[in-house]
Amino acid sequence: MADVKKFLYVNRKAPYGTIYAWESLEVVLIGAAFDQDVALAFIDDGVYQLVKGQDTKEIGMKNFSPTYSALGDYDINKIYVEKESLEARGLTIDDLQHLVWEDEDDDWAEKDSIKIVTASEMAEIMDQSEVVLSF
Amino acid sequence: MKFGISVHEGPYTHQASDSAYFFCKAALEAGHEIFRVFFYHDGVNNGTNYATPPQDDRHIMNRWSELAKEHDLDLVVCVAAAQRRGIVDEGEQQRNGKEGKNIADGFRISGLGQLIEAGIEADRTIVFGD
């Protein structure tokens, strides 16, 4: 188990309506214990998962969106959001949570985790990943 | 080639489980190895022995059990997903005070780490989902 592989978790679904987003996050959190090279991708309706100010009171579901802000503490700091998916839904990076991580090699400087990438850049990221888990 | 498989949809409602089964069968017949089949989301329902599909339909759960027996396959049902959906083995029955257990032959309940381990150990990991 010494090998480090490039894991990519691809999130394609809206945060509520189906359980995919929440159970995907559960895999990411458990997987963080395995010391692999982890990245997250958000495409299609998956971009809604990162929208800030979520309020689930009226649908009787747990609002799990604050969990995303803990990803930096798990050394998960490569979060790719597809530009075209945001644009198609009238969203910009300002609509998303501000996710950060602390770089221990740079005096614990706080850095942005989210990177907006084009569909073709996303395809390249997927191509370079070794284990792609799609949710 | 060593494959890791993750099945994310339940039987009958969605074709993902059928496709995963046929892939595993074909891969094994071609001499490849299946490191593990992991069942997640509603995929855990592939591991019930309480289902009774019509006799003129395929028996998806039994099909997995038979393939597991024939090829010594490791069929793993995610414990967190199973607890939500009522897939119970003897340990879960005792821990959670349930009246019965319904895990099908050849399946075992374990943690999500088993999926990550499959990703690390297998040459290719394939998700069958929606």
Side-chain angles (χ1 to χ4, degrees):
Chain A
M1 300 262 295
D3 292 352
V4 172
K5 277 193 172 175
K6 290 165 86 93
F7 277 68
L8 180 69
Y9 297 90
V10 181
N11 299 284
R12 302 170 294 132
K13 314 271 190 178
Y16 311 101
T18 64
I19 201 169
Y20 300 107
W22 171 231
E23 285 192 332
S24 168
L25 196 50
E26 288 190 329
V27 181
V28 171
L29 296 174
I30 296 285
F34 283 74
D35 292 329
Q36 300 295 302
D37 181 347
V38 173
L40 271 59
F42 292 86
I43 61 173
D44 300 342
D45 278 350
V47 298
Y48 285 122
Q49 295 178 28
L50 297 178
V51 168
K52 63 186 173 190
Q54 294 178 27
D55 180 357
T56 59
K57 276 201 288 290
E58 297 297 328
I59 56 169
M61 311 240 312
K62 179 173 159 186
N63 178 1
F64 59 86
S65 63
T67 312
Y68 293 106
S69 60
L71 291 175
D73 300 332
Y74 287 85
D75 289 331
I76 296 168
N77 51 39
K78 291 187 290 250
I79 298 177
Y80 301 109
V81 180
E82 193 194 70
K83 182 170 175 279
E84 286 85 342
S85 298
L86 281 177
E87 285 173 358
R89 288 159 184 80
L91 299 171
T92 71
I93 192 168
D94 295 330
D95 296 304
L96 307 182
Q97 294 189 55
H98 185 214
L99 301 182
V100 295
W101 62 289
E102 291 178 344
D103 188 351
E104 61 174 301
D105 298 327
D106 189 9
D107 196 26
W108 302 99
E110 205 173 76
K111 299 185 175 179
D112 287 346
S113 301
I114 292 180
K115 191 175 174 203
I116 309 292
V117 299
T118 63
S120 61
E121 286 169 329
M122 190 66 94
E124 185 68 19
I125 290 162
M126 289 183 184
D127 189 43
Q128 287 169 3
S129 300
E130 293 172 284
V131 182
V132 179
L133 296 174
S134 178
F135 296 94
Chain B
M1 179 83 72
K2 199 191 318 185
F3 290 102
I5 306 294
S6 200
V7 180
H8 290 187
E9 296 295 335
Y12 302 104
T13 303
H14 202 291
Q15 201 188 330
S17 164
D18 293 272
S19 301
Y21 169 79
F22 287 124
F23 179 87
C24 289
K25 199 164 176 291
L28 290 163
E29 281 167 4
H32 298 295
E33 182 186 338
I34 305 289
F35 177 76
R36 175 172 296 144
V37 185
F38 191 81
F39 295 86
Y40 197 48
H41 301 313
D42 279 358
V44 300
N45 291 316
N46 286 280
T48 181
N49 63 11
Y50 274 12
T52 313
Q55 285 194 351
D56 61 353
D57 199 354
R58 67 224 190 278
H59 198 306
I60 295 179
M61 293 67 60
N62 284 0
R63 218 166 50 176
W64 280 116
S65 294
E66 284 156 15
L67 194 68
K69 194 175 175 189
E70 196 179 335
H71 295 279
D72 198 22
L73 273 187
D74 190 20
L75 306 182
V76 179
V77 173
C78 168
V79 62
Q83 285 174 338
R84 285 196 178 102
R85 295 165 178 86
I87 301 298
V88 178
D89 65 4
E90 202 168 323
E92 286 296 304
Q93 183 189 351
Q94 286 170 5
R95 260 189 300 281
N96 301 311
K98 301 298 180 188
E99 283 180 12
K101 59 185 169 71
N102 61 345
I103 189 94
D105 286 346
F107 288 82
R108 64 187 179 94
I109 294 180
S110 189
L112 277 168
Q114 299 276 307
L115 171 61
I116 308 300
E117 188 196 32
I120 295 168
E121 295 295 331
D123 301 312
R124 293 278 190 284
T125 304
I126 306 178
V127 174
F128 291 86
D130 186 62

